[in-house]
Amino acid sequence: MRQINNVRFPQPFNHLSEEVLWSISLDKTNSLRSISQMEIGASFDGENWNGDWLSPMGIDLQINGGLGITFNDLHVEQLPKIYGLLDLLWSDGVDAICPTIITSSILSLRNSLKVLRLARKNNNEKSCKLLGAHLEGPFLASKYKGAHDLQYLSEPSFFELQKRIKGFEHDISIVTLAPELKGASELIQQLRQSGIIISLGHSSASLEESNSAFQEGVSMITHAFNAMNGIHHRAPGPIGEAISNGNISVGLIADGVHVHPHIAVMLQKLLPDQLFLVSDALPPYGLDQAEYWWKNKWVFINKGVCRLEDGRLAGTTLPLLEGSKLLAQWSRNASASIWAATVSPRLALNQGKTIQEFLIGKSLNNLLRWRCQEGASDLFWTRAE
């Protein structure tokens, strides 16, 4: 049996057990079978990782496409490209995604859900997994529509929901909506009954409206600070309410542009357990292009950040784990930055409660080993082996 010692696991910001070292045991198939805490000063046999971190692979809860395909306008002929994208994501350290379908026509939405269902059936075990879709819209506030098409936005109602998702309820993991809209409360109840996670996003919700939404079962915020009210000292908005609530998962695009690095670090400190990173990657992810034609408009790409012609932010082309590296540079906390892309998304999806649950039984080759220089300014990962 193989033994690896002096291993660290990622922890939330300033967690008390951040510097605890662990010993892991692997069976003949190189799968992790047991974890035990190392005693200070104790002698040991086996390999020495010298404090490197072991983590699950990343999970991206908000990714719009890649390699030229967009999840909100899929066709069966694109299945090979979908599998190619999943292979690319796997090589970029991502274990699973919630393919994100932004506001679109009902026909496009249902076609995409149908294609994703087919793709999920033939998903390769050694490739990124397709979780249920993330529907970002169409029940959004027009004031905060961002890059979403105004013509396809809809007022919340059971009838409008059924037109879009009937028959696909089990193919959807997350729905982003604006909970302050008339009819949203009833929709939240319907979605909860179907086991779908509801996220606040593209919303003008106030502190009070956000509080009501969280009480009704909204458990997540989509791309914090973007397309919503910010924090004001007299109007804390949805982010302020999420911080006070303590149980809301909050997504962050960690590219340094969608949210300033200082604010990203502030969120990391104020929401240590709940903050999770997303890529918000667009179809040109994986392509070496400075311009891309998307949804009948040009997207301009600069250092991985995507903007529309009028300057509005539209997403990124950055790999998810690049966000961990950037966040580690800003906060000087590698452990918490690894946590935000690998453990926290799993908690948001209610896949477990401890990092050990995400490691036991996994092949070491399907986990990540992280190292960094002093001060966490140069964090990098490799596949564990």
Side-chain angles (χ1 to χ4, degrees), residues 10 13 59 66-67 81 84-85 121 162 171 174-175 199 203 260 273 276 285 297 302 315 320 336 367 376 379 383-384:
F13 200 92
I59 288 187
L67 293 182
K81 281 193 173 182
L85 174 58
K121 288 180 179 178
Q162 288 297 95
D171 298 286
I174 304 169
V175 169
S199 187
S203 164
H260 191 280
D273 296 283
F276 66 90
Y285 165 68
K297 54 178 73 78
N302 182 24
L320 174 68
L367 301 173
L379 179 66
R383 204 166 294 279

Side-chain angles (χ1 to χ4, degrees), residues 75-87:
H75 304 282
V76 174
E77 295 78 11
Q78 293 176 310
L79 280 170
K81 281 193 173 182
I82 294 173
Y83 296 135
L85 174 58
L86 295 176
D87 289 341

